[in-house]
């Protein structure tokens, strides 16, 4: 009986998570954003081997980055191209800083090498 209750609770917890709405800053993410964050994290993990805790932290970082970029694009709709570029560059710098804090030295070197050799067709 305990096992049935535990299995029911786990199932409800897995399928009842906050994935439907995606309001700015409210901590819930759309399915498309979750999928994009997973794809980004897996692509990075193919080149930089994460432990499980790092993988989860990097995925959360990707979710935060995607949310911030979405919010900035909404906020800066109608702003000058220079202001948009500046604010998006600042967000990118924050992402790079937070990612570098999550990585070990050898992983950081691998990431910097990947970033320096990055082209869109290679990341797939």
């Amino acid at each position: 009986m305990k096992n049935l209750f535990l299995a029911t609770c786990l199932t409800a917890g897995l399928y009842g998570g906050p994935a439907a709405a995606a309001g700015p800053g409210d901590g819930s993410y759309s399915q498309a954003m979750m999928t994009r964050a997973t794809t980004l994290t897996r692509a990075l993990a193919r080149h930089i081997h994460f432990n499980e805790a790092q993988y989860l932290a990097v995925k959360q970082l990707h979710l935060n980055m995607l949310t911030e970029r979405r919010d900035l694009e909404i906020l800066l709709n109608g702003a000058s191209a220079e202001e948009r570029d500046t604010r998006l560059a600042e967000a990118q710098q924050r992402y790079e800083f937070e990612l570098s804090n999550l990585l070990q030295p050898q992983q950081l070197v691998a990431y910097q090498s990947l970033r320096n050799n990055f082209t869109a067709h290679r990341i797939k």
Side-chain angles (χ1 to χ4, degrees), residues 13-15 20-21 28-29 36 38 41 47 51 67 71 80 85-86 92 100 102 114 116-117:
L14 290 174
Y15 293 109
S28 58
Y29 306 104
R36 180 71 176 140
T38 300
T41 307
H47 301 282
N51 62 37
T67 300
D71 293 348
S80 70
D85 289 348
T86 300
Q92 181 67 27
S100 68
L102 293 172
L114 177 67
N116 291 338
N117 296 320

Side-chain angles (χ1 to χ4, degrees), residues 60-80:
Q60 185 61 50
L61 179 61
H62 284 140
L63 285 167
N64 294 344
M65 181 214 23
L66 291 169
T67 300
E68 183 178 11
R69 287 183 60 90
R70 181 199 63 205
D71 293 348
L72 281 173
E73 288 172 4
I74 292 168
L75 179 69
L76 298 172
N77 188 18
S80 70

